[in-house]
Amino acid sequence: MFFDKLFISLKEFIFLFCEISFLFLLINMIVFYIDKKYTNLFKDHLKKDGFQAYIKAIILGSLTPFCSCSSIPLLNAFLRAKVPLGVCISYLITSPLINPIVVAMFIVSFGIKVTLFYVSFLIFAILIVSFFISKINTQKFFNEYFLNDLNDDTSNSYCNNQKLNFIFKANFQSNKIIRFKIKKENLLKELFLKSFKDYKKIFIYIIIGMAIGAIIHSFFPKDFFEIYLKDYGILAVFIAAFTGVLLYMNCTAMIPVALTLIQSGIPLGIMMSFLIAGAGCSLPELILLKRIFKLSFLILFASIIVLIAIIFGILIFFI
């Protein structure tokens, strides 16, 4: 039995590792390309730390149905593009919790009223959290080596621009017309190498995070709710939130399980608390974020997700 679970954990680890690695490399390449071709895209839409930028980040998050770990690559790209942390948090919380797949499954499983309440509550909570984050000196949350990487990127970009300006001026003065023809192969190679450079820095965190996620996924007791939470009343909302934030799960995959448990007698508020906490944050995600942020931010982020989960669970419990 133990070795069977261990084998399942190994398969889960390989799948998760490949998925996160592929997404990290691909998303970084896409963002680098967008930033190269449309220099002011992020600046115009996401770099202003305000209400409109939060809404745009929420919309973007709702269109990218990632799990909590899969959203890290795009978060990393946003931070490198100097998108404010408050705007990044809007995306980071939205992506695993509000997307077309989750909304559709919520409607089918729990009905239109619960779904509308779920989406409205989360958007309202995300806006409040983003506004709160924007009022803090966010520089203190970042690891020094990550900030150094950002500064190096900015310096390299500046040097390259200066070099290009010099070339343009020199050739303009000599009345020469320059035409840059970048082959697709060279462009892809350049984008891949830049993305892989970032990937190497987070590689060990992916290994550790996905290993923990795979082990938890295989060894977490299937009858946890029936044994430990069914008879605890509103206290179970708190237990479910703190338990969920330590696990690694996909909200889409958990909704059918949650529906089955609710039909077996588990209160809806308990399951909602568990779903939001488990999908919105996870131990593997926190390990991946450790490459970017200090422990103080990880505690703050996990606490915010747990608080959102508990409040929503209690509201559902009494409605």
Side-chain angles (χ1 to χ4, degrees):
M1 187 68 176
F2 173 80
F3 289 104
D4 289 341
K5 289 185 177 181
L6 202 60
F7 181 69
I8 294 172
S9 296
L10 179 60
K11 290 197 300 183
E12 186 73 11
F13 166 75
I14 294 172
F15 172 77
L16 293 174
F17 175 78
C18 293
E19 178 189 39
I20 297 299
S21 297
F22 174 77
L23 283 172
F24 188 93
L25 291 169
L26 178 64
I27 291 172
N28 260 17
M29 288 176 67
I30 292 172
V31 174
F32 282 140
Y33 175 76
I34 293 173
D35 195 40
K36 184 182 183 74
K37 192 171 181 64
Y38 308 101
T39 309
N40 296 321
L41 182 67
F42 293 120
K43 183 177 180 180
D44 293 341
H45 292 280
L46 295 176
K47 283 192 176 182
K48 295 178 181 179
D49 199 349
F51 181 77
Q52 288 187 348
Y54 301 150
I55 294 296
K56 289 175 182 177
I58 289 173
I59 293 173
L60 178 62
S62 66
L63 296 176
T64 53
F66 296 143
C67 64
S68 59
C69 287
S70 302
S71 57
I72 302 298
L74 195 52
L75 170 72
N76 181 77
F78 283 164
L79 291 172
R80 291 190 176 280
K82 301 297 190 298
V83 174
L85 184 57
V87 179
C88 291
I89 292 300
S90 294
Y91 163 78
L92 187 63
I93 299 177
T94 302
S95 182
L97 292 175
I98 307 174
N99 58 66
I101 300 174
V102 169
V103 171
M105 293 188 70
F106 253 75
I107 292 173
V108 173
S109 302
F110 308 119
I112 188 70
K113 290 183 179 179
V114 172
T115 304
L116 287 175
F117 183 50
Y118 170 83
V119 173
S120 302
F121 173 84
L122 283 180
I123 291 175
F124 179 71
I126 290 167
L127 289 173
I128 291 178
V129 169
S130 301
F131 177 78
F132 168 73
I133 294 292
S134 70
K135 298 304 178 183
I136 302 176
N137 178 19
T138 56
Q139 290 293 310
K140 65 183 180 181
F141 290 138
F142 292 97
N143 288 322
E144 291 298 328
Y145 44 83
F146 183 77
L147 290 177
N148 291 337
D149 286 346
L150 292 184
N151 292 332
D152 289 342
D153 289 345
T154 303
S155 176
N156 291 334
S157 177
Y158 175 77
C159 291
N160 290 334
N161 288 337
Q162 290 294 95
K163 185 177 180 181
L164 284 174
N165 288 337
F166 175 77
I167 292 172
F168 273 118
K169 288 179 181 178
N171 284 278
F172 179 78
Q173 291 172 355
S174 61
N175 295 320
K176 291 182 180 179
I177 299 174
I178 302 174
R179 293 183 180 180
F180 290 96
K181 292 184 178 181
I182 304 175
K183 293 182 179 180
K184 291 183 179 180
E185 295 80 4
N186 292 337
L187 178 59
L188 286 173
K189 182 179 179 180
E190 177 191 351
L191 294 174
F192 176 78
L193 289 176
K194 288 182 69 174
S195 183
F196 189 71
K197 181 181 177 182
D198 285 349
Y199 174 76
K200 288 191 297 183
K201 296 172 183 176
I202 203 172
F203 177 76
I204 188 63
Y205 296 90
I206 293 177
I207 291 284
I208 296 172
M210 295 308 97
I212 292 175
I215 291 170
I216 291 173
H217 177 81
S218 301
F219 285 88
F220 185 72
K222 306 300 181 185
D223 53 357
F224 174 79
F225 291 94
E226 291 90 338
I227 296 176
Y228 299 103
L229 297 184
K230 190 173 184 178
D231 300 322
Y232 276 83
I234 196 170
L235 178 62
V237 172
F238 292 82
I239 300 173
F242 283 102
T243 303
V245 82
L246 296 175
L247 304 179
Y248 176 60
M249 63 182 187
N250 188 305
C251 190
T252 305
M254 272 301 298
I255 290 174
V257 178
L259 180 61
T260 302
L261 291 170
I262 290 168
Q263 292 172 345
S264 70
I266 305 295
L268 179 61
I270 296 173
M271 290 311 309
M272 287 297 172
S273 177
F274 181 76
L275 279 175
I276 292 175
C281 183
S282 65
L283 187 57
E285 179 190 20
L286 295 175
I287 292 172
L288 291 177
L289 289 174
K290 185 67 180 69
R291 170 67 182 79
I292 302 172
F293 299 105
K294 294 179 180 177
L295 181 61
S296 57
F297 177 80
L298 302 185
I299 294 173
L300 175 64
F301 178 69
S303 301
I304 288 171
I305 297 298
V306 168
L307 182 62
I308 291 174
I310 289 173
I311 293 174
F312 187 77
I314 291 174
L315 290 174
I316 289 291
F317 205 90
F318 286 107
I319 290 177

